[in-house]
Amino acid sequence: MKPDTRSFYIEAVQRVVSHLVARLDESADLHALARLAGLSPFHFHRVFRGMVGETPLELLRRLRLERAACALRDTSLPVTSVAFGAGYETHEAFTRAFRSAFGTSPTDFRRQRALRAVLSAPSGLHFRVGQVQPQFTPSDTGGHTMQVDIEQLPDLRLAAVTHVGPYSTIGKAFERLGRLAGPAGLFNDPSALMIALYHDDPDATPPEELRSCAAVSVAESAVLPTGVEELRLQGGSYARHTHVGAFDALNVVWPRFLGEALPASGYALLDGPALEIYRSDLRTTPRDEVRTDLLVPVRV
């Protein structure tokens, strides 16, 4: 591990944490937060979620609810005023969120003044009156022990189909790619790589607007069929973690990879799409043995 690189990530996230805590009543500009951290907007939020255990918006919502709980317990402010102060437009919406978080209604919480006004937080961050310099505890779910290797990818020509929608449904794009590229013989090369490219941050972009591509690497001489577009993937150094198991675990693996494993590895992220390279034949490989390489561009 390179302590200076891990310190860089911790300090970057700490700047954002301090900014958010000092401005609980302001809306979060996710791109501005990424600039404050000095990280790519694409990667920042997964790094933040991996290190803090919450997205910036989740952190804000929880701290506002903790502040509301303190106001209910320690003041006589009307519940409606507390609701508006927590950023809710209606008493009903606040009551639903409060009950979901604390297990009781705002009114009942006020009656039981001995209740603690804090919610579970792996980062140790909680609302405190007059808090000046909040410090967070980086998440430690064992992600720092994940194997991270460096892979030198060559420049690749890709035959791709664009997908717009939740990343979990990119399989539809691969099915379309198969229907178009299969008859054209684009899968015949045994060295061809099946690759997914993810262009947006799933923590900062609505699921229905997420952009990704299902692709296969092809030779320069290959003729692409109608409906398949050509992409160029820039080669270079990529940090790689290999996940063995079902695809539905990847939404948990990615934050651990970027928020715990990568900082511990000592490699610094560069801007560029996140990649998944599928190394197994899904027709013959058991679900729990499927191998997926997660890759992000880094400076080594």
Side-chain angles (χ1 to χ4, degrees):
M1 184 201 315
K2 300 177 183 177
D4 55 334
T5 306
R6 186 170 188 272
S7 296
F8 164 79
Y9 284 101
I10 292 175
E11 291 169 5
V13 171
Q14 181 63 61
R15 285 196 299 274
V16 176
V17 165
S18 298
H19 176 90
L20 292 172
V21 170
R23 297 166 177 81
L24 282 186
D25 294 313
E26 297 181 11
S27 59
D29 182 330
L30 298 179
H31 282 80
L33 295 179
R35 288 194 298 271
L36 179 61
L39 294 170
S40 156
F42 179 83
H43 297 299
F44 160 69
H45 300 96
R46 275 180 165 173
V47 171
F48 187 97
R49 178 156 64 101
M51 297 198 83
V52 177
E54 299 170 292
T55 68
L57 294 181
E58 289 169 343
L59 174 64
L60 272 181
R61 283 195 292 266
R62 179 176 59 77
L63 292 179
R64 287 169 180 165
L65 282 173
E66 290 187 352
R67 183 178 64 178
C70 289
L72 291 169
R73 184 190 62 191
D74 302 332
T75 76
S76 58
L77 285 172
V79 173
T80 301
S81 297
V82 174
F84 292 157
Y88 293 87
E89 296 182 355
T90 66
H91 179 284
E92 292 76 17
F94 172 66
T95 297
R96 286 194 298 271
F98 193 92
R99 186 188 296 277
S100 176
F102 286 94
T104 187
S105 71
T107 301
D108 287 341
F109 185 91
R110 169 166 273 168
R111 292 195 188 103
Q112 304 173 60
R113 292 183 179 273
L115 291 178
R116 297 182 66 212
V118 296
L119 297 167
S120 175
S123 63
L125 288 167
H126 296 288
F127 172 77
R128 293 181 178 84
V129 177
Q131 186 169 217
V132 177
Q133 183 62 27
Q135 297 292 323
F136 84 101
T137 301
S139 291
D140 183 2
T141 65
H144 64 282
T145 65
M146 295 168 69
Q147 181 69 33
V148 177
D149 299 302
I150 294 297
E151 180 165 340
Q152 298 295 329
L153 283 182
D155 292 342
L156 292 173
R157 180 182 184 229
L158 303 178
V161 168
T162 298
H163 175 67
V164 178
Y167 285 160
S168 60
T169 60
I170 195 174
K172 297 177 182 178
F174 275 105
E175 291 174 2
R176 184 174 173 224
L177 178 65
R179 291 195 299 270
L180 295 172
L186 298 187
F187 298 133
N188 294 343
D189 184 349
S191 65
L193 298 175
M194 297 294 293
I195 305 176
L197 298 85
Y198 298 102
H199 299 290
D200 294 310
D201 175 9
D203 290 330
T205 306
E208 65 276 9
E209 298 177 13
L210 290 170
R211 298 168 302 141
S212 55
C213 291
V216 59
S217 61
V218 295
E220 291 295 330
S221 59
V223 178
L224 305 190
T226 302
V228 175
E229 62 179 309
E230 178 185 81
L231 295 180
R232 295 285 176 171
L233 178 64
Q234 182 178 351
S237 299
Y238 283 76
R240 182 191 70 228
H241 170 69
T242 299
H243 169 69
V244 179
F247 292 143
D248 53 15
L250 291 174
N251 67 325
V252 176
V253 176
W254 269 110
R256 293 180 71 225
F257 174 38
L258 292 179
E260 296 183 47
L262 194 64
S265 73
Y267 301 116
L269 274 167
L270 295 176
D271 200 4
L275 310 178
E276 289 175 0
I277 299 181
Y278 307 106
R279 304 292 189 178
S280 302
D281 185 339
L282 299 183
R283 297 168 297 181
T284 58
T285 307
R287 188 168 179 265
D288 59 355
E289 296 178 14
V290 171
R291 177 184 166 190
T292 306
D293 286 346
L294 284 58
L295 300 102
V296 288
V298 293
R299 181 172 57 251
V300 294

